């Protein structure tokens, strides 16, 4: 969805032409997987961080256009809501001091953005869901004034044919409706990209699916929405419901949601793109002029624009990516399960845990996905999103186990070995994985801290829920700037 979209009305002919073109792209992609040399010599990584803008009273401010104009920095882009931005870190290897380089890059970029944002009356927050958001903020008028977002909203609303139903039951229950996809803008995430070869893709994607629950459990940072305490990582449920094109009848018939965990382990990346076409009708039937067959037969690198555009409107938690950089095609696994925040170092600890673990599991002699069902991985994922660090999950040879015990006793040693395979220096490996270890030991991640901080000021100072959320977010913002791990944050000011 990085390319802007100007066309607002699609004809029957547009849809027919697009469907034919995207199937031709898929056919060419299959040829490329067997005949092309993909760029996969080095396991390059990349991070995208979605951000929120708030004012001095911790309320969302709709000024991303003004902030971006003042920043004039191509690393920062618009996101769905006018209170959102996205920061794209420069891709790099994590070997050696790669994580430290990422940390310096992200902190410098965020500090610069914060400085420029203050001139517009805004401040930047890294968090999974901004807890001071209300239904009055998440309306169509507050979508970014960019063509692709407006057209995507119109198409999702058109296909669904009725208001979006938001019904999330957690510690408390939220049940409301929306007439646009604006609630999706509440979901701000950390997206981790890892470049892999065609031969490796399936094992890396399967591994990423198997560990998604552990990632969400230790990284949860989205416990509140519209003033309600819901799931530890409410973003997971909200994202699915806010982009759901299915009516109630289609849900009952088993039609798949566009925000999708998947339904089976795979043997090739081709299967995922094929599923996209089989299960999901196009939302943005826009064709470019390239004939991928002609380009392929002439020895060129097809952009496969239609295949990529369609893929961008199927929101897998681990998304397959085909891209072309510097004239060479490559493949990536885009890991999308994590929220933004609480701090840069917390996000890098989450990334180190994921990258180390996925590397070790993908190269295991006995792949974990051969010992557990896909349904078990999906059930684990939703249990972790609901309960966070208190979740119980299934793991082969252990059965049902507390996720914190699984992480400390089984997964962290694997992540250590995986980071060694990447060539990460031991000091960085131990520093970042040590943060995950301490979260599990203390039982405190971003979601737990937010919940405890709100409860503390409600009970000890008698604040209402909205006032407590505001108080908590102001303290969260101040602590975020220290870049100290969230498990060390005090619940109350001393």
């Amino acid at each position: 969805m990085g390319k802007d979209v100007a066309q607002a009305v699609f004809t029957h002919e547009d849809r027919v032409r697009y469907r034919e073109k995207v199937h031709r792209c898929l056919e060419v992609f299959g040829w490329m997987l067997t005949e092309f040399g993909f760029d996969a010599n080095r396991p390059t990584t990349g991070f995208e961080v979605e951000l929120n803008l708030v004012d001095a009273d911790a309320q969302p401010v709709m000024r991303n256009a003004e902030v971006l104009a003042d920043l004039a920095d191509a690393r920062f882009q618009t996101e769905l809501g006018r209170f959102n931005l996205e920061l794209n870190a420069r891709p790099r290897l994590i070997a050696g001091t790669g994580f430290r380089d990422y940390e310096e890059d992200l902190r410098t970029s965020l500090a610069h953005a914060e400085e420029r944002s203050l001139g517009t009356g805004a401040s930047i927050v890294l968090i999974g869901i901004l807890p001071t958001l209300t239904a009055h903020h998440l309306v169509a008028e507050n979508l970014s004034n960019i063509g692709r977002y407006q057209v995507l909203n119109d198409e999702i609303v058109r296909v669904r044919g009725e208001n979006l139903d938001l019904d999330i039951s957690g510690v408390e229950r939220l049940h409301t409706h929306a007439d646009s996809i604006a609630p999706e803008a509440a979901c701000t995430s950390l997206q981790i990209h890892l470049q892999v070869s065609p031969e490796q893709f399936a094992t890396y994607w399967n591994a990423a699916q198997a560990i998604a629950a552990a990632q969400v459990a230790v990284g949860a940072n989205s416990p509140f929405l519209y003033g309600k305490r819901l799931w530890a990582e409410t973003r997971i449920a909200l994202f699915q419901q806010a982009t759901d094109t299915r009516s109630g009848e289609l849900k009952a018939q088993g039609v798949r949601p566009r925000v999708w965990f998947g339904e089976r382990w795979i043997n090739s990346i081709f299967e995922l793109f094929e599923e996209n076409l089989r299960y999901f009708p196009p939302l943005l039937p826009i064709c470019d002029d390239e004939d991928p067959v002609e380009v392929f037969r002439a020895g060129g690198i097809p952009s496969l624009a239609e295949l990529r555009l369609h893929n961008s409107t199927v929101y897998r938690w681990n998304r397959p990516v085909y891209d072309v950089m510097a004239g060479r095609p490559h493949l990536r696994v885009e890991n999308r399960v994590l929220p933004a925040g609480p701090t840069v170092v917390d996000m890098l600890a989450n990334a180190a845990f994921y990258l180390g673990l996925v590397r070790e599991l993908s190269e295991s002699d006995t792949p974990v996905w051969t010992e557990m069902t896909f349904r078990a991985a999906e059930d684990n994922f939703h249990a972790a999103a609901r309960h966070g660090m208190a979740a119980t999950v299934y793991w082969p040879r252990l059965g049902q186990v507390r996720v914190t015990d699984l992480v400390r006793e089984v997964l962290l040693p694997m992540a250590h070995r995986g980071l060694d395979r990447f060539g990460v220096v031991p000091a960085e490996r131990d520093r970042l994985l040590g943060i995950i270890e301490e979260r599990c030991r203390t039982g405190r991640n971003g979601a737990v801290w937010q919940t405890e901080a709100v409860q503390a000021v409600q009970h000890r100072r008698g604040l209402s829920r909205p006032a407590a959320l505001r108080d908590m977010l102001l303290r969260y913002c101040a602590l975020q700037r220290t870049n100290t791990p969230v498990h060390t944050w005090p619940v109350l000011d001393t």
Side-chain angles (χ1 to χ4, degrees):
M1 287 298 295
K3 182 179 179 180
D4 202 6
V5 173
Q7 187 171 351
V9 178
F10 302 108
T11 66
H12 172 75
E13 290 73 19
D14 290 331
R15 298 181 188 280
V16 170
R17 183 166 58 252
Y18 183 86
R19 189 178 295 275
E20 292 172 349
K21 185 76 177 289
V22 77
H23 278 275
R24 194 153 66 248
C25 286
L26 180 65
E27 183 179 26
V28 171
F29 182 57
W31 298 343
M32 293 178 69
L33 290 174
T34 59
E35 299 183 30
F36 260 63
F38 282 76
D39 187 5
N41 294 329
R42 303 193 305 165
T44 305
T45 63
F47 294 159
E48 300 174 56
V49 188
E50 295 169 344
L51 316 170
N52 292 278
L53 299 173
V54 297
D55 63 17
D57 199 40
Q59 302 304 305
V61 288
M62 310 300 164
R63 297 181 192 144
N64 65 354
E66 295 92 326
V67 171
L68 285 170
D70 202 26
L71 264 173
D73 185 337
R75 292 172 298 179
F76 289 88
Q77 303 290 329
T78 54
E79 255 299 330
L80 182 62
R82 291 173 56 212
F83 59 94
N84 300 143
L85 297 174
E86 181 178 89
L87 168 58
N88 294 278
R90 182 178 64 81
R92 53 172 52 88
L93 301 175
I94 59 170
T97 59
F99 280 113
R100 178 68 73 178
D101 296 339
Y102 265 128
E103 186 171 6
E104 292 176 3
D105 181 11
L106 289 169
R107 293 192 69 193
T108 299
S109 297
L110 289 167
H112 175 61
E114 176 77 3
E115 179 185 359
R116 304 305 296 179
S117 298
L118 290 173
T120 69
S123 187
I124 289 173
V125 187
L126 303 165
I127 199 165
I129 293 178
L130 197 62
T132 52
L133 281 168
T134 69
H136 298 294
H137 298 122
L138 296 174
V139 293
E141 291 78 11
N142 288 332
L143 294 174
S144 291
N145 190 24
I146 301 294
R148 65 181 180 273
Y149 299 132
Q150 303 292 335
V151 174
L152 182 65
N153 175 69
D154 292 346
E155 284 298 294
I156 288 178
V157 171
R158 179 192 65 80
V159 171
R160 184 176 173 88
E162 58 189 45
N163 283 348
L164 296 162
D165 186 41
L166 303 180
D167 190 356
I168 306 172
S169 293
V171 177
E172 298 165 359
R173 186 187 180 197
L174 173 69
H175 189 198
T176 187
H177 298 86
D179 61 3
S180 74
I181 64 169
E184 182 197 338
C187 305
T188 41
S189 64
L190 166 66
Q191 295 158 23
I192 306 169
H193 292 254
L194 177 62
Q195 186 173 310
V196 297
S197 70
E199 297 76 22
Q200 295 172 310
F201 186 92
T203 58
Y204 273 85
W205 188 85
N206 289 341
Q209 293 287 100
I211 63 172
Q215 285 184 268
V216 170
V218 299
N221 195 30
S222 312
F224 294 103
L225 176 64
Y226 290 179
K228 302 283 189 180
R229 182 183 169 195
L230 301 171
W231 293 11
E233 191 50 34
T234 305
R235 183 182 58 91
I236 300 297
L238 176 60
F239 190 42
Q240 177 171 326
Q241 295 183 21
T243 56
D244 200 341
T245 57
R246 304 169 302 163
S247 65
E249 293 82 1
L250 292 178
K251 292 177 188 177
Q253 292 170 30
V255 173
R256 295 158 180 83
R258 295 190 88 98
V259 175
W260 198 36
F261 189 79
E263 60 189 17
R264 62 192 176 101
W265 307 117
I266 65 166
N267 297 302
S268 167
I269 186 175
F270 186 84
E271 297 168 28
L272 300 179
F273 282 99
E274 187 179 41
E275 284 180 348
N276 288 354
L277 272 62
R278 185 185 309 131
Y279 299 141
F280 303 105
L283 287 177
L284 302 174
I286 300 166
C287 293
D288 74 2
D289 296 331
E290 178 188 84
D291 184 329
V293 176
E294 288 185 3
V295 173
F296 177 84
R297 288 175 175 167
I301 308 297
S303 69
L304 306 183
E306 293 79 11
L307 190 73
R308 293 158 66 188
L309 179 59
H310 187 53
N311 186 51
S312 75
T313 64
V314 179
Y315 306 101
R316 297 177 185 271
W317 293 110
N318 285 291
R319 175 186 275 166
V321 176
Y322 165 83
D323 207 349
V324 181
M325 295 293 292
R328 295 195 65 187
H330 70 263
L331 306 177
R332 303 193 303 269
V333 178
E334 180 188 2
N335 181 257
R336 302 162 52 84
V337 308
L338 289 166
T343 63
V344 169
V345 74
D346 279 308
M347 292 191 297
L348 290 173
N350 291 339
F353 179 57
Y354 164 71
L355 289 168
L357 192 50
V358 78
R359 175 74 182 261
E360 180 67 13
L361 286 173
S362 70
E363 299 184 16
S364 170
D365 292 335
T366 307
V368 66
W369 53 93
T370 66
E371 300 182 300
M372 66 188 296
T373 65
F374 195 89
R375 179 60 183 270
E378 183 177 14
D379 289 346
N380 285 350
F381 178 66
H382 287 107
R386 282 179 177 273
H387 304 295
M389 302 191 79
T392 297
V393 297
Y394 171 81
W395 196 255
R397 306 180 194 178
L398 297 178
Q400 296 295 318
V401 59
R402 285 182 60 90
V403 71
T404 50
D405 292 338
L406 175 66
V407 171
R408 294 181 75 186
E409 297 168 12
V410 179
L411 302 185
L412 274 173
M414 290 182 179
H416 273 261
R417 295 194 295 272
L419 292 182
D420 288 344
R421 290 179 186 269
F422 276 116
V424 176
V425 295
E428 284 300 286
R429 176 202 66 197
D430 295 345
R431 178 176 76 102
L432 296 174
L433 295 185
I435 292 172
I436 304 299
E437 167 77 22
E438 284 300 296
R439 277 192 219 156
C440 292
R441 185 186 66 81
T442 60
R444 301 183 71 219
N445 58 12
V448 171
W449 184 88
Q450 288 189 53
T451 301
E452 290 180 350
V454 167
Q455 290 175 334
V457 293
Q458 282 188 280
H459 296 156
R460 300 186 193 182
R461 292 168 48 190
L463 296 186
S464 66
R465 176 64 66 78
L469 290 169
R470 171 189 170 277
D471 181 89
M472 178 272 288
L473 185 56
L474 288 171
R475 293 188 57 242
Y476 180 105
C477 293
L479 289 164
Q480 182 173 94
R481 296 185 194 104
T482 68
N483 199 41
T484 54
V486 70
H487 71 269
T488 69
W489 291 5
V491 173
L492 286 172
D493 289 325
T494 55

